[in-house]
């Protein structure tokens, strides 16, 4: 039975928003955004449609708010590469990526939601684009931070370009793993060792090439 849509104090309003967003996350995971109707959200959350429209304005407003909250949760959950600054560059990358993958294994729905939204028709919404871009820019910056000590410790245009390319690859890897996790049950953590081995091999190859040129 839905709750009364009358006025409520600010604290209760915050609670209402969170309940609706939790319901939206569950429904998007089950039916996808396009399959989620306001009536479904009302039934799942226990609040009438009028409360949903009051707090979010529209179904797209619910999605934008859910993405924004997901970004905050991801940001709080993920470690920063700088947390491992006491380690050698390759070990620093491995420690950071391992910690990040453990976090994703605990809450795989975070990236699954973002990937699903990023390829749906609602991706053209300005509010959705802004939040998705913010999440991806933050992830890219973390990859650059993790890879720079390995490939561009002293700067250099070509070295920085390689770091940027590898950061895109790293971000794409986690995007792809969200699909693998959803369909095949593949854990994020299972891919840490292969990716680190790839980076290690590339670093050793570049170091060997640099020594031969001397």
């Amino acid at each position: 039975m839905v709750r009364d849509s009358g006025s409520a104090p600010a604290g209760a309003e915050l609670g209402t928003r969170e309940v609706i967003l939790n319901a939206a996350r569950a429904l998007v995971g089950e039916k996808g955004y396009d399959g989620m109707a306001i009536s479904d959200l009302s039934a799942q959350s226990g609040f009438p449609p009028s409360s949903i429209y009051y707090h979010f304005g529209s179904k797209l407003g619910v999605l934008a708010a859910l993405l924004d909250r997901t970004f905050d949760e991801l940001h709080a959950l993920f470690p920063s590469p700088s947390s491992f600054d006491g380690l050698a560059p390759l070990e620093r990358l491995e420690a950071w990526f391992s910690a990040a993958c453990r976090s994703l294994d605990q809450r795989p729905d975070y990236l699954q939601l973002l990937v699903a939204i990023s390829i749906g028709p609602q991706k053209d919404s300005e509010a959705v684009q802004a939040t998705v871009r913010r999440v991806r820019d933050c992830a890219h910056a973390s990859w650059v931070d993790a890879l720079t000590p390995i490939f561009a410790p002293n700067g250099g245009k070509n070295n920085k370009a390689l770091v940027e390319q590898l950061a895109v690859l790293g971000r794409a890897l986690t995007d792809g793993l969200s699909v693998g996790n959803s369909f095949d049950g593949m854990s994020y953590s299972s891919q840490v060792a292969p990716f680190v081995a790839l980076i290690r091999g590339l670093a050793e190859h570049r170091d060997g090439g640099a020594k031969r040129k001397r």
Side-chain angles (χ1 to χ4, degrees):
M1 183 170 138
V2 298
R3 297 178 177 86
D4 180 42
S5 60
S7 61
E13 289 181 1
L14 178 61
T16 299
R17 285 180 60 88
E18 291 303 305
V19 170
I20 293 172
L21 290 177
N22 288 340
R25 172 175 282 162
L27 286 169
V28 169
E30 176 187 345
K31 299 183 175 185
Y33 172 75
D34 294 330
M36 179 186 73
I38 291 293
S39 58
D40 297 326
L41 190 52
S42 175
Q44 181 89 357
S45 67
F47 288 102
S50 57
S51 286
I52 298 170
Y53 288 118
Y54 172 77
H55 287 287
F56 301 101
S58 65
K59 177 181 168 182
L60 191 59
V62 174
L63 178 63
L66 178 58
L67 285 172
D68 201 52
R69 190 181 75 169
T70 298
F71 170 81
D72 292 337
E73 291 170 341
L74 274 169
H75 189 69
L77 189 65
F78 270 39
S80 167
S82 62
S83 302
F84 307 97
D85 278 351
L87 300 176
L90 275 165
E91 284 66 33
R92 179 179 182 266
L93 168 69
E94 183 172 12
W96 166 73
F97 192 33
S98 295
C101 285
R102 284 195 299 270
S103 297
L104 287 171
D105 283 333
Q106 293 170 15
R107 292 303 303 265
D109 54 305
Y110 285 162
L111 276 191
Q112 288 169 5
L113 171 67
L114 291 173
V115 171
I117 296 307
S118 297
I119 61 175
Q122 63 283 338
K123 68 180 174 58
D124 294 326
S125 159
E126 184 176 342
V128 170
Q129 283 187 352
T131 301
V132 170
R133 192 179 302 113
R134 190 157 59 108
V135 173
R136 298 182 70 75
D137 286 349
C138 183
H140 184 83
S142 291
W143 276 108
V144 169
D145 186 358
L147 291 163
T148 294
I150 301 171
F151 295 104
N154 301 312
K157 183 177 179 180
N158 291 338
N159 293 337
K160 289 181 177 179
L162 176 63
V163 166
E164 289 289 331
Q165 293 167 349
L166 291 174
V168 171
L169 177 63
R171 193 177 61 187
L173 170 67
T174 51
D175 287 346
L177 284 175
S178 70
V179 177
N181 178 277
S182 180
F183 283 94
D184 304 324
M186 179 187 299
S187 72
Y188 290 86
S189 297
S190 68
Q191 299 306 302
V192 170
F195 186 78
V196 172
L198 175 66
I199 296 298
R200 187 183 301 277
L202 180 58
E204 291 173 351
H205 176 75
R206 282 173 61 84
D207 288 345
K211 289 177 182 177
R212 286 193 295 270
K213 290 179 180 179
R214 290 174 189 170

